[in-house]
Amino acid sequence: MPKPPERIAVVGWGSLSPLGEDADSTWAAVCARQSGIQTIQETWAEDLNVRIAGRVAETAFADLEPLLRRRADRCAQLALLAGRQAWAMAEHNRRGLDPTRIAVVLGTGIGGLATMHEQHSQLSAGGPSRVNPLTVPMLIPDAAAGQVAIDLGLQGGAHTPVSACASGAEALMLAQWLLQDDRADLVLAGGSEAPVNRLGLVGFSAMRALSLRNEAPEQASRPYGQTRDGFVLSEGAGVLALMRQSDVPAGDALGWLLASGSSSDAHHIVAPEPQGLQASRAIEEALQRADCKPDDLCAVQAHATGTSLGDLAEARALRRSLGSAADHLPVYAPKGQLGHLLGGAGAVETILALQSLRAGMVPCSMNADPLDPEVELAVTGSGPVALPDTDRERLLLKNAFGFGGHNISLVLAAPPQPSARA
């Protein structure tokens, strides 16, 4: 198995989630054990059997230009705001770069679902003349990547992986390839999703994929929990600024994307392969390309949506791939607090994973207690877990899987922080 020619540095990040309007506030809310899941108050949800979701606060859109609020779907708006945050954070490292050598890779699972729903309603109620002429460019999945490229003047290519809930992580893998193949000098990569509307909730609910705990929204998302009953739909976006190690001054990297692995289940359009056979192949490929063994890891961040089939398939894949290391490696399931951001999940959660490595601790997995006895993993419980005090780089495995059998695994790293060793 070939090793990556050069490691990839993270030099900036931005995110919006149900827990915060940027990466720092989201991380602070995670550490404070807050939940981003709330009851939907609008009248359009009154007759739905699912009336809970994770939503980004409207105050997050206050600085977005009125023209973009009218001409961009909420999915693209979230990507624009996260992209601007990452761009600003990377200012020191991107200064002077040729814009034709800066690319964008932003994944999404669905894209402009809100626009599709709204414009179909307009068509049904008022006929063809009521349909917005920008309907198609607003709803197409690549709109977010295109809008970010336009907004920041980036001419090195705008790409959009559409691989359901693995899209954000797949975007990071593609960005890694672009940089290692010397097709770009900097890549803004991540994912965005805005599915919280009547059509989105009805569609996922019809699949019986969503939790029905309307009366207890903060307890509804229960990854790996014995009493889980489905995931909670959420919205958000995450964007990371990535560069080659050789182009980044020592000390500027926030963390590292060491390697990635991918596979496809080739099993079912919705259900994962139950034994996690192909998911484990993605995990093992990522570890091999990172040139590390399971015992070199200090933690795992699981995809873990809170569905019975998905959680068990991932647990079996991790047990198969990690062997005896799975007995003690802390496994963190962030969707207990965030809900499921679909195409935005892989990127927002990767930022959380890097923050976790830098802080030297793995957060608790909300609502995982009592743990499903079939999940034979060291899932973090009611409190955070401190990472070992060591001078070695801390390595973390991050998973992202999606409908259609898409499997992406990443190996992330961050140097130990002085505060963590104090």
Side-chain angles (χ1 to χ4, degrees):
M1 183 70 67
K3 298 177 183 178
E6 187 168 11
R7 62 168 52 191
I8 301 304
V10 178
V11 296
W13 55 43
S15 77
L16 298 94
S17 81
L19 288 172
E21 299 178 12
D22 55 34
D24 286 346
S25 59
T26 296
W27 173 246
V30 165
C31 295
R33 303 187 61 188
Q34 297 174 6
S35 171
I37 311 306
Q38 300 177 342
T39 300
I40 299 172
Q41 302 292 344
E42 288 92 333
T43 55
W44 57 257
E46 289 179 349
D47 64 338
L48 304 185
N49 65 341
V50 175
R51 299 184 300 281
I52 53 175
R55 307 170 86 176
V56 174
E58 289 303 315
T59 52
F61 301 87
D63 293 333
L64 196 64
E65 295 82 348
L67 188 65
L68 285 172
R69 297 200 67 170
R70 292 195 303 272
R71 293 188 172 184
D73 185 89
R74 191 174 177 92
C75 175
Q77 293 178 24
L78 289 166
L80 277 165
L81 292 167
R84 287 178 180 178
Q85 291 175 14
W87 189 243
M89 196 170 178
E91 197 277 337
H92 170 68
N93 297 98
R94 65 175 168 79
R95 191 182 304 149
L97 291 182
D98 179 353
T100 66
R101 296 278 299 170
I102 304 176
V104 180
V105 187
L106 286 178
T108 184
I110 304 173
L113 184 64
T115 297
M116 184 184 300
H117 178 48
E118 291 165 3
Q119 294 308 308
H120 183 265
S121 298
Q122 292 288 338
L123 177 64
S124 299
S129 64
R130 296 285 299 276
V131 174
N132 186 336
L134 294 177
T135 295
V136 172
M138 288 174 68
L139 68 83
I140 53 179
D142 63 328
Q147 288 280 13
V148 170
I150 293 167
D151 189 55
L152 301 175
L154 309 182
Q155 301 165 344
H159 311 277
T160 305
V162 180
S163 46
C165 308
S167 300
E170 182 159 335
L172 298 175
M173 180 179 74
L174 298 180
Q176 174 199 13
W177 293 355
L178 286 174
L179 289 164
Q180 291 178 340
D181 199 33
D182 196 30
R183 294 175 181 269
D185 295 327
L186 186 151
V187 182
L188 289 183
S192 182
E193 204 76 73
V196 182
N197 53 61
R198 190 171 167 84
L199 179 58
L201 284 162
V202 169
F204 281 102
S205 177
M207 299 168 61
R208 300 181 179 178
L210 300 182
S211 171
L212 296 173
R213 282 190 170 83
N214 293 308
E215 305 309 316
E218 294 184 355
Q219 301 172 28
S221 184
R222 308 181 69 81
Y224 289 143
Q226 188 174 20
T227 57
R228 65 194 183 278
D229 68 334
F231 66 81
V232 176
L233 204 60
S234 288
E235 65 178 0
V239 177
L240 293 86
L242 304 173
M243 299 179 70
R244 286 180 294 273
Q245 179 182 21
S246 57
D247 294 332
V248 176
D252 277 11
L254 300 166
W256 309 96
L257 171 56
L258 290 189
S260 54
S262 65
S263 68
S264 52
D265 279 353
H267 172 74
H268 191 278
I269 193 62
V270 174
E273 191 284 311
Q275 300 305 315
L277 297 173
Q278 300 310 319
S280 66
R281 205 160 56 81
I283 293 169
E284 290 162 16
E285 180 186 348
L287 293 176
Q288 289 168 352
R289 288 184 179 276
D291 195 24
C292 73
K293 299 179 176 60
D295 283 330
D296 296 327
L297 298 171
C298 67
V300 174
Q301 190 195 74
H303 182 67
T305 64
T307 65
S308 180
L309 293 178
D311 284 8
L312 290 180
E314 182 177 18
R316 290 163 183 156
L318 286 168
R319 170 57 64 173
R320 176 177 295 102
S321 300
L322 301 180
S324 60
D327 293 336
H328 59 82
L329 276 177
V331 177
Y332 167 48
K335 293 182 179 66
Q337 291 170 277
L338 285 167
H340 194 353
L341 279 63
L342 308 183
V348 170
E349 293 173 3
T350 292
I351 295 170
L352 287 177
L354 291 167
Q355 290 171 310
S356 172
L357 288 171
R358 291 171 62 82
M361 69 91 168
V362 182
C364 64
S365 297
M366 292 277 284
N367 305 321
D369 186 22
L371 191 68
D372 184 337
E374 292 192 60
V375 176
E376 297 177 335
L377 301 170
V379 178
T380 57
S382 58
V385 175
L387 296 176
D389 188 11
T390 173
D391 290 332
R392 295 173 56 191
E393 273 191 329
R394 294 180 169 126
L395 307 182
L396 181 148
L397 175 72
K398 193 275 175 288
N399 285 337
F401 305 136
F403 284 163
H406 305 277
N407 306 312
I408 302 292
S409 294
L410 309 174
V411 176
L412 309 168
Q417 299 297 299
S419 58
R421 298 196 299 271

